[in-house]
PDB file of all heavy atoms in Angstrom:
ATOM      1  N   ALA D 295      -0.172  17.084  32.453  1.00 65.00           N
ATOM      2  CA  ALA D 295       0.908  17.947  32.942  1.00 65.00           C
ATOM      3  C   ALA D 295       1.257  19.066  31.972  1.00 65.00           C
ATOM      4  O   ALA D 295       1.760  20.108  32.374  1.00 65.00           O
ATOM      5  CB  ALA D 295       2.154  17.106  33.228  1.00 65.00           C
ATOM      6  N   SER D 296       0.982  18.868  30.680  1.00 73.00           N
ATOM      7  CA  SER D 296       1.382  19.865  29.689  1.00 73.00           C
ATOM      8  C   SER D 296       0.228  20.721  29.177  1.00 73.00           C
ATOM      9  O   SER D 296       0.425  21.537  28.277  1.00 73.00           O
ATOM     10  CB  SER D 296       2.058  19.170  28.506  1.00 73.00           C
ATOM     11  OG  SER D 296       1.145  18.336  27.827  1.00 73.00           O
ATOM     12  N   LEU D 297      -0.949  20.585  29.729  1.00 76.00           N
ATOM     13  CA  LEU D 297      -2.139  21.251  29.202  1.00 76.00           C
ATOM     14  C   LEU D 297      -1.972  22.761  29.061  1.00 76.00           C
ATOM     15  O   LEU D 297      -2.199  23.317  27.984  1.00 76.00           O
ATOM     16  CB  LEU D 297      -3.348  20.927  30.077  1.00 76.00           C
ATOM     17  CG  LEU D 297      -4.678  21.469  29.595  1.00 76.00           C
ATOM     18  CD1 LEU D 297      -5.053  20.867  28.256  1.00 76.00           C
ATOM     19  CD2 LEU D 297      -5.749  21.181  30.610  1.00 76.00           C
ATOM     20  N   GLU D 298      -1.580  23.443  30.108  1.00 80.00           N
ATOM     21  CA  GLU D 298      -1.454  24.901  30.042  1.00 80.00           C
ATOM     22  C   GLU D 298      -0.348  25.312  29.075  1.00 80.00           C
ATOM     23  O   GLU D 298      -0.496  26.262  28.315  1.00 80.00           O
ATOM     24  CB  GLU D 298      -1.175  25.501  31.438  1.00 80.00           C
ATOM     25  CG  GLU D 298      -2.367  25.434  32.371  1.00 80.00           C
ATOM     26  CD  GLU D 298      -2.518  24.067  33.044  1.00 80.00           C
ATOM     27  OE1 GLU D 298      -1.576  23.242  32.991  1.00 80.00           O
ATOM     28  OE2 GLU D 298      -3.595  23.828  33.611  1.00 80.00           O
ATOM     29  N   ARG D 299       0.740  24.583  29.101  1.00 83.00           N
ATOM     30  CA  ARG D 299       1.861  24.915  28.229  1.00 83.00           C
ATOM     31  C   ARG D 299       1.496  24.713  26.756  1.00 83.00           C
ATOM     32  O   ARG D 299       1.800  25.549  25.909  1.00 83.00           O
ATOM     33  CB  ARG D 299       3.063  24.053  28.609  1.00 83.00           C
ATOM     34  CG  ARG D 299       4.298  24.421  27.862  1.00 83.00           C
ATOM     35  CD  ARG D 299       5.519  23.815  28.536  1.00 83.00           C
ATOM     36  NE  ARG D 299       6.658  24.056  27.695  1.00 83.00           N
ATOM     37  CZ  ARG D 299       7.505  23.127  27.331  1.00 83.00           C
ATOM     38  NH1 ARG D 299       7.377  21.894  27.778  1.00 83.00           N
ATOM     39  NH2 ARG D 299       8.521  23.415  26.561  1.00 83.00           N
ATOM     40  N   VAL D 300       0.832  23.617  26.444  1.00 85.00           N
ATOM     41  CA  VAL D 300       0.406  23.372  25.074  1.00 85.00           C
ATOM     42  C   VAL D 300      -0.607  24.428  24.639  1.00 85.00           C
ATOM     43  O   VAL D 300      -0.573  24.894  23.501  1.00 85.00           O
ATOM     44  CB  VAL D 300      -0.166  21.942  24.911  1.00 85.00           C
ATOM     45  CG1 VAL D 300      -0.863  21.773  23.575  1.00 85.00           C
ATOM     46  CG2 VAL D 300       0.939  20.914  25.058  1.00 85.00           C
ATOM     47  N   SER D 301      -1.478  24.836  25.535  1.00 86.00           N
ATOM     48  CA  SER D 301      -2.446  25.881  25.204  1.00 86.00           C
ATOM     49  C   SER D 301      -1.742  27.170  24.800  1.00 86.00           C
ATOM     50  O   SER D 301      -2.105  27.799  23.802  1.00 86.00           O
ATOM     51  CB  SER D 301      -3.376  26.153  26.391  1.00 86.00           C
ATOM     52  OG  SER D 301      -4.175  25.039  26.645  1.00 86.00           O
ATOM     53  N   ARG D 302      -0.740  27.557  25.551  1.00 89.00           N
ATOM     54  CA  ARG D 302       0.032  28.762  25.199  1.00 89.00           C
ATOM     55  C   ARG D 302       0.750  28.568  23.871  1.00 89.00           C
ATOM     56  O   ARG D 302       0.806  29.472  23.032  1.00 89.00           O
ATOM     57  CB  ARG D 302       1.025  29.106  26.305  1.00 89.00           C
ATOM     58  CG  ARG D 302       0.380  29.681  27.555  1.00 89.00           C
ATOM     59  CD  ARG D 302       1.403  30.217  28.548  1.00 89.00           C
ATOM     60  NE  ARG D 302       2.378  29.239  28.972  1.00 89.00           N
ATOM     61  CZ  ARG D 302       2.236  28.380  29.981  1.00 89.00           C
ATOM     62  NH1 ARG D 302       1.120  28.396  30.687  1.00 89.00           N
ATOM     63  NH2 ARG D 302       3.184  27.521  30.291  1.00 89.00           N
ATOM     64  N   PHE D 303       1.317  27.384  23.659  1.00 92.00           N
ATOM     65  CA  PHE D 303       2.036  27.071  22.430  1.00 92.00           C
ATOM     66  C   PHE D 303       1.110  27.163  21.209  1.00 92.00           C
ATOM     67  O   PHE D 303       1.464  27.755  20.195  1.00 92.00           O
ATOM     68  CB  PHE D 303       2.652  25.670  22.543  1.00 92.00           C
ATOM     69  CG  PHE D 303       3.486  25.267  21.367  1.00 92.00           C
ATOM     70  CD1 PHE D 303       4.776  25.746  21.220  1.00 92.00           C
ATOM     71  CD2 PHE D 303       2.993  24.391  20.416  1.00 92.00           C
ATOM     72  CE1 PHE D 303       5.555  25.367  20.142  1.00 92.00           C
ATOM     73  CE2 PHE D 303       3.761  23.997  19.340  1.00 92.00           C
ATOM     74  CZ  PHE D 303       5.049  24.489  19.199  1.00 92.00           C
ATOM     75  N   LEU D 304      -0.072  26.594  21.318  1.00 93.00           N
ATOM     76  CA  LEU D 304      -1.016  26.631  20.193  1.00 93.00           C
ATOM     77  C   LEU D 304      -1.368  28.058  19.798  1.00 93.00           C
ATOM     78  O   LEU D 304      -1.587  28.354  18.626  1.00 93.00           O
ATOM     79  CB  LEU D 304      -2.293  25.871  20.548  1.00 93.00           C
ATOM     80  CG  LEU D 304      -2.185  24.356  20.610  1.00 93.00           C
ATOM     81  CD1 LEU D 304      -3.475  23.755  21.143  1.00 93.00           C
ATOM     82  CD2 LEU D 304      -1.825  23.760  19.276  1.00 93.00           C
ATOM     83  N   ASN D 305      -1.415  28.938  20.763  1.00 94.00           N
ATOM     84  CA  ASN D 305      -1.760  30.329  20.469  1.00 94.00           C
ATOM     85  C   ASN D 305      -0.668  31.073  19.715  1.00 94.00           C
ATOM     86  O   ASN D 305      -0.868  32.216  19.318  1.00 94.00           O
ATOM     87  CB  ASN D 305      -2.157  31.063  21.748  1.00 94.00           C
ATOM     88  CG  ASN D 305      -3.518  30.623  22.217  1.00 94.00           C
ATOM     89  OD1 ASN D 305      -4.415  30.363  21.415  1.00 94.00           O
ATOM     90  ND2 ASN D 305      -3.685  30.511  23.520  1.00 94.00           N
ATOM     91  N   LEU D 306       0.472  30.432  19.482  1.00 96.00           N
ATOM     92  CA  LEU D 306       1.542  31.024  18.686  1.00 96.00           C
ATOM     93  C   LEU D 306       1.364  30.714  17.196  1.00 96.00           C
ATOM     94  O   LEU D 306       2.222  31.050  16.385  1.00 96.00           O
ATOM     95  CB  LEU D 306       2.907  30.527  19.179  1.00 96.00           C
ATOM     96  CG  LEU D 306       3.238  30.895  20.636  1.00 96.00           C
ATOM     97  CD1 LEU D 306       4.535  30.218  21.075  1.00 96.00           C
ATOM     98  CD2 LEU D 306       3.336  32.407  20.796  1.00 96.00           C
ATOM     99  N   PHE D 307       0.227  30.087  16.841  1.00 97.00           N
ATOM    100  CA  PHE D 307      -0.074  29.730  15.456  1.00 97.00           C
ATOM    101  C   PHE D 307      -1.381  30.387  15.041  1.00 97.00           C
ATOM    102  O   PHE D 307      -2.377  30.302  15.761  1.00 97.00           O
ATOM    103  CB  PHE D 307      -0.170  28.205  15.308  1.00 97.00           C
ATOM    104  CG  PHE D 307       1.125  27.514  15.599  1.00 97.00           C
ATOM    105  CD1 PHE D 307       1.464  27.183  16.902  1.00 97.00           C
ATOM    106  CD2 PHE D 307       2.023  27.243  14.587  1.00 97.00           C
ATOM    107  CE1 PHE D 307       2.669  26.573  17.195  1.00 97.00           C
ATOM    108  CE2 PHE D 307       3.234  26.631  14.866  1.00 97.00           C
ATOM    109  CZ  PHE D 307       3.560  26.293  16.167  1.00 97.00           C
ATOM    110  N   ASP D 308      -1.381  31.016  13.889  1.00 96.00           N
ATOM    111  CA  ASP D 308      -2.554  31.710  13.368  1.00 96.00           C
ATOM    112  C   ASP D 308      -3.672  30.696  13.079  1.00 96.00           C
ATOM    113  O   ASP D 308      -3.506  29.834  12.215  1.00 96.00           O
ATOM    114  CB  ASP D 308      -2.169  32.452  12.088  1.00 96.00           C
ATOM    115  CG  ASP D 308      -3.317  33.223  11.470  1.00 96.00           C
ATOM    116  OD1 ASP D 308      -4.462  33.140  11.963  1.00 96.00           O
ATOM    117  OD2 ASP D 308      -3.052  33.926  10.474  1.00 96.00           O
ATOM    118  N   PRO D 309      -4.804  30.785  13.780  1.00 95.00           N
ATOM    119  CA  PRO D 309      -5.879  29.807  13.584  1.00 95.00           C
ATOM    120  C   PRO D 309      -6.586  29.933  12.229  1.00 95.00           C
ATOM    121  O   PRO D 309      -7.380  29.079  11.864  1.00 95.00           O
ATOM    122  CB  PRO D 309      -6.845  30.091  14.735  1.00 95.00           C
ATOM    123  CG  PRO D 309      -6.607  31.519  15.075  1.00 95.00           C
ATOM    124  CD  PRO D 309      -5.148  31.777  14.798  1.00 95.00           C
ATOM    125  N   ALA D 310      -6.291  30.982  11.464  1.00 96.00           N
ATOM    126  CA  ALA D 310      -6.841  31.125  10.121  1.00 96.00           C
ATOM    127  C   ALA D 310      -5.879  30.580   9.070  1.00 96.00           C
ATOM    128  O   ALA D 310      -6.234  30.464   7.898  1.00 96.00           O
ATOM    129  CB  ALA D 310      -7.148  32.588   9.827  1.00 96.00           C
ATOM    130  N   ARG D 311      -4.656  30.221   9.478  1.00 97.00           N
ATOM    131  CA  ARG D 311      -3.646  29.718   8.542  1.00 97.00           C
ATOM    132  C   ARG D 311      -3.237  28.283   8.833  1.00 97.00           C
ATOM    133  O   ARG D 311      -2.870  27.539   7.937  1.00 97.00           O
ATOM    134  CB  ARG D 311      -2.402  30.616   8.585  1.00 97.00           C
ATOM    135  CG  ARG D 311      -1.366  30.290   7.521  1.00 97.00           C
ATOM    136  CD  ARG D 311      -0.106  31.110   7.641  1.00 97.00           C
ATOM    137  NE  ARG D 311       0.787  30.651   8.691  1.00 97.00           N
ATOM    138  CZ  ARG D 311       1.534  29.552   8.640  1.00 97.00           C
ATOM    139  NH1 ARG D 311       1.481  28.756   7.620  1.00 97.00           N
ATOM    140  NH2 ARG D 311       2.336  29.236   9.632  1.00 97.00           N
ATOM    141  N   VAL D 312      -3.275  27.885  10.120  1.00 97.00           N
ATOM    142  CA  VAL D 312      -2.802  26.565  10.525  1.00 97.00           C
ATOM    143  C   VAL D 312      -3.939  25.798  11.192  1.00 97.00           C
ATOM    144  O   VAL D 312      -4.526  26.275  12.166  1.00 97.00           O
ATOM    145  CB  VAL D 312      -1.604  26.681  11.501  1.00 97.00           C
ATOM    146  CG1 VAL D 312      -1.172  25.312  12.000  1.00 97.00           C
ATOM    147  CG2 VAL D 312      -0.440  27.413  10.843  1.00 97.00           C
ATOM    148  N   CYS D 313      -4.231  24.620  10.657  1.00 97.00           N
ATOM    149  CA  CYS D 313      -5.240  23.751  11.263  1.00 97.00           C
ATOM    150  C   CYS D 313      -4.613  23.087  12.473  1.00 97.00           C
ATOM    151  O   CYS D 313      -3.645  22.343  12.366  1.00 97.00           O
ATOM    152  CB  CYS D 313      -5.683  22.704  10.238  1.00 97.00           C
ATOM    153  SG  CYS D 313      -6.895  21.544  10.869  1.00 97.00           S
ATOM    154  N   ARG D 314      -5.149  23.369  13.655  1.00 95.00           N
ATOM    155  CA  ARG D 314      -4.617  22.846  14.908  1.00 95.00           C
ATOM    156  C   ARG D 314      -5.357  21.566  15.299  1.00 95.00           C
ATOM    157  O   ARG D 314      -6.572  21.578  15.464  1.00 95.00           O
ATOM    158  CB  ARG D 314      -4.787  23.860  16.029  1.00 95.00           C
ATOM    159  CG  ARG D 314      -4.154  25.219  15.776  1.00 95.00           C
ATOM    160  CD  ARG D 314      -4.569  26.154  16.889  1.00 95.00           C
ATOM    161  NE  ARG D 314      -4.149  27.521  16.691  1.00 95.00           N
ATOM    162  CZ  ARG D 314      -4.448  28.499  17.545  1.00 95.00           C
ATOM    163  NH1 ARG D 314      -5.147  28.240  18.636  1.00 95.00           N
ATOM    164  NH2 ARG D 314      -4.035  29.711  17.309  1.00 95.00           N
ATOM    165  N   VAL D 315      -4.588  20.482  15.454  1.00 93.00           N
ATOM    166  CA  VAL D 315      -5.163  19.194  15.839  1.00 93.00           C
ATOM    167  C   VAL D 315      -4.468  18.735  17.115  1.00 93.00           C
ATOM    168  O   VAL D 315      -3.241  18.688  17.164  1.00 93.00           O
ATOM    169  CB  VAL D 315      -4.966  18.132  14.730  1.00 93.00           C
ATOM    170  CG1 VAL D 315      -5.573  16.793  15.144  1.00 93.00           C
ATOM    171  CG2 VAL D 315      -5.553  18.613  13.406  1.00 93.00           C
ATOM    172  N   VAL D 316      -5.238  18.436  18.135  1.00 89.00           N
ATOM    173  CA  VAL D 316      -4.676  17.924  19.382  1.00 89.00           C
ATOM    174  C   VAL D 316      -5.205  16.519  19.623  1.00 89.00           C
ATOM    175  O   VAL D 316      -6.290  16.162  19.181  1.00 89.00           O
ATOM    176  CB  VAL D 316      -4.992  18.833  20.591  1.00 89.00           C
ATOM    177  CG1 VAL D 316      -4.316  20.193  20.447  1.00 89.00           C
ATOM    178  CG2 VAL D 316      -6.490  18.995  20.787  1.00 89.00           C
ATOM    179  N   GLY D 317      -4.410  15.727  20.321  1.00 84.00           N
ATOM    180  CA  GLY D 317      -4.828  14.372  20.619  1.00 84.00           C
ATOM    181  C   GLY D 317      -4.096  13.845  21.830  1.00 84.00           C
ATOM    182  O   GLY D 317      -3.249  14.519  22.411  1.00 84.00           O
ATOM    183  N   GLY D 318      -4.453  12.642  22.182  1.00 74.00           N
ATOM    184  CA  GLY D 318      -3.852  12.008  23.341  1.00 74.00           C
ATOM    185  C   GLY D 318      -4.930  11.591  24.318  1.00 74.00           C
ATOM    186  O   GLY D 318      -6.068  12.062  24.242  1.00 74.00           O
ATOM    187  N   PRO D 319      -4.576  10.719  25.238  1.00 68.00           N
ATOM    188  CA  PRO D 319      -5.569  10.173  26.151  1.00 68.00           C
ATOM    189  C   PRO D 319      -6.183  11.207  27.086  1.00 68.00           C
ATOM    190  O   PRO D 319      -7.314  11.041  27.534  1.00 68.00           O
ATOM    191  CB  PRO D 319      -4.794   9.122  26.941  1.00 68.00           C
ATOM    192  CG  PRO D 319      -3.373   9.524  26.820  1.00 68.00           C
ATOM    193  CD  PRO D 319      -3.238  10.198  25.488  1.00 68.00           C
ATOM    194  N   HIS D 320      -5.488  12.275  27.347  1.00 66.00           N
ATOM    195  CA  HIS D 320      -5.988  13.249  28.310  1.00 66.00           C
ATOM    196  C   HIS D 320      -6.921  14.265  27.666  1.00 66.00           C
ATOM    197  O   HIS D 320      -7.944  14.623  28.232  1.00 66.00           O
ATOM    198  CB  HIS D 320      -4.826  13.952  29.014  1.00 66.00           C
ATOM    199  CG  HIS D 320      -3.924  12.992  29.708  1.00 66.00           C
ATOM    200  ND1 HIS D 320      -3.849  12.911  31.071  1.00 66.00           N
ATOM    201  CD2 HIS D 320      -3.085  12.038  29.230  1.00 66.00           C
ATOM    202  CE1 HIS D 320      -2.998  11.953  31.403  1.00 66.00           C
ATOM    203  NE2 HIS D 320      -2.528  11.419  30.300  1.00 66.00           N
ATOM    204  N   ILE D 321      -6.571  14.716  26.474  1.00 67.00           N
ATOM    205  CA  ILE D 321      -7.366  15.765  25.828  1.00 67.00           C
ATOM    206  C   ILE D 321      -8.715  15.234  25.357  1.00 67.00           C
ATOM    207  O   ILE D 321      -9.688  15.976  25.265  1.00 67.00           O
ATOM    208  CB  ILE D 321      -6.583  16.418  24.666  1.00 67.00           C
ATOM    209  CG1 ILE D 321      -7.192  17.769  24.296  1.00 67.00           C
ATOM    210  CG2 ILE D 321      -6.504  15.500  23.465  1.00 67.00           C
ATOM    211  CD1 ILE D 321      -7.184  18.779  25.399  1.00 67.00           C
TER     212      ILE D 321
END
């Protein structure tokens, strides 16, 4: 249910400065 929203949220973090880790049964 949160996939699109989390995707937008992650894009608010610089991928060269913040290591993005996602988890959970769905991802």
Side-chain angles (χ1 to χ4, degrees):
S296 65
L297 184 63
E298 289 82 13
R299 186 164 173 230
V300 169
S301 294
R302 287 189 303 273
F303 183 78
L304 288 173
N305 287 323
L306 298 173
F307 296 85
D308 181 355
R311 188 184 78 73
V312 176
C313 179
R314 303 173 186 178
V315 180
V316 295
H320 302 250
I321 198 61

